[in-house]
Amino acid sequence: MCAKTIDTKDITYDSLLQGNKDWVKDTIDSDPAFFDKLSAGQAPPVLWIGCSDSRVPANQITNTRPGDIFVHRNIANVVVHTDMNLLSVLDYSINVLKVKHVIVCGHYGCGGVKAALGDKQVGLIDNWLRNIRDVYRLHDQELSAIQDPDQKFDRLVELNAIEGAAKVMNTSIVQSAWANGQDLSVHAWVYSLKTGLIKDLKVTTKSLDDVSPAFKVS
């Protein structure tokens, strides 16, 4: 039987530590060898690039276990070619862990995307959100034609994930993996907080054939 969870408002520093102990006990009761197997190493088949939003935990919404998904998260799941944190994660996951799938997953209702749609200063994050405004600029004709603000918001969330996947695909890291014959696919998804379901945006790329000549590296 799983340990009882507590309401968010009742979470304290001490309750987190107790929650860990409860989880360990329940896990060992269910699988006595779980932590022996977990500590032996990791070989996740998936790299997840997602939003830092606390409501979008990669393992939970995909019904997977610790060790199944390598994760990188930032505000609004933005992919930037000068982000050494993201590039380091991407390089390690592809060249060391040999993941087979890289998934850029946004989520409807994303606060970062919503802020990028507005014209108010938020703070330091404004510089980060410029990357999403660039996505809007690239798709200005399509987005400007959408009159309903909620639909426009949702579509920008989708386009941000799609552009993120394209930027992953265009990195020298991914292109080198493909050039060496590595089995690797890049995908764009969006998660719905209202339904709990993931939407596959159908932009999967699997080879150098999908890379624009402007971004190909030799």
Side-chain angles (χ1 to χ4, degrees):
M1 181 180 294
C2 293
K4 182 180 179 181
T5 57
I6 61 176
D7 291 337
T8 303
K9 62 181 177 59
D10 295 323
I11 291 176
T12 66
Y13 180 81
D14 289 334
S15 74
L16 293 173
L17 293 171
Q18 184 58 50
N20 168 252
K21 293 175 183 177
D22 294 341
W23 172 70
V24 170
K25 181 181 182 303
D26 289 342
T27 301
I28 292 175
D29 287 345
S30 176
D31 180 3
F34 178 84
F35 290 105
D36 290 332
K37 292 181 289 186
L38 192 67
S39 61
Q42 63 171 329
V46 176
L47 167 62
W48 176 281
I49 300 174
C51 182
S52 297
D53 193 297
S54 60
R55 301 166 294 175
V56 193
N59 284 106
Q60 196 165 351
I61 66 175
T62 56
N63 196 29
T64 51
R65 305 161 301 172
D68 290 341
I69 299 180
F70 201 61
V71 177
H72 174 85
R73 297 170 73 174
N74 62 47
I75 299 296
N77 49 273
V78 171
V79 176
V80 183
H81 284 149
T82 54
D83 182 350
M84 293 305 296
N85 187 345
L86 183 146
L87 292 176
S88 297
V89 170
L90 185 66
D91 183 76
Y92 184 78
S93 64
I94 290 175
N95 292 318
V96 178
L97 298 177
K98 303 296 182 182
V99 300
K100 295 184 180 298
H101 301 276
V102 178
I103 298 168
V104 179
C105 186
H107 68 96
Y108 297 120
C110 179
V113 175
K114 186 174 184 179
L117 272 171
D119 57 4
K120 294 182 179 179
Q121 286 191 348
V122 180
L124 179 63
I125 194 176
D126 290 326
N127 300 281
W128 184 255
L129 297 180
R130 285 179 182 175
N131 295 289
I132 303 174
R133 293 190 173 107
D134 281 340
V135 174
Y136 193 115
R137 176 178 55 81
L138 289 171
H139 300 274
D140 179 71
Q141 187 172 359
E142 176 186 350
L143 290 167
S144 295
I146 301 174
Q147 298 302 312
D148 182 270
D150 292 334
Q151 292 181 8
K152 180 179 293 187
F153 182 13
D154 287 351
R155 185 53 180 159
L156 184 55
V157 167
E158 294 174 350
L159 291 170
N160 184 49
I162 290 170
E163 289 295 332
K167 289 179 180 178
V168 168
M169 175 184 69
N170 290 335
T171 63
S172 59
I173 299 167
V174 170
Q175 291 189 49
S176 293
W178 280 335
N180 292 327
Q182 192 164 331
D183 181 13
L184 178 67
S185 299
V186 181
H187 317 266
W189 288 0
V190 173
Y191 173 69
S192 171
L193 294 169
K194 293 181 178 179
T195 67
L197 295 174
I198 292 170
K199 180 179 181 180
D200 183 353
L201 297 174
K202 307 296 184 183
V203 291
T204 294
T205 56
K206 297 182 178 181
S207 73
L208 286 170
D209 294 338
D210 298 314
V211 179
S212 168
F215 292 100
K216 280 190 176 180
V217 294
S218 56

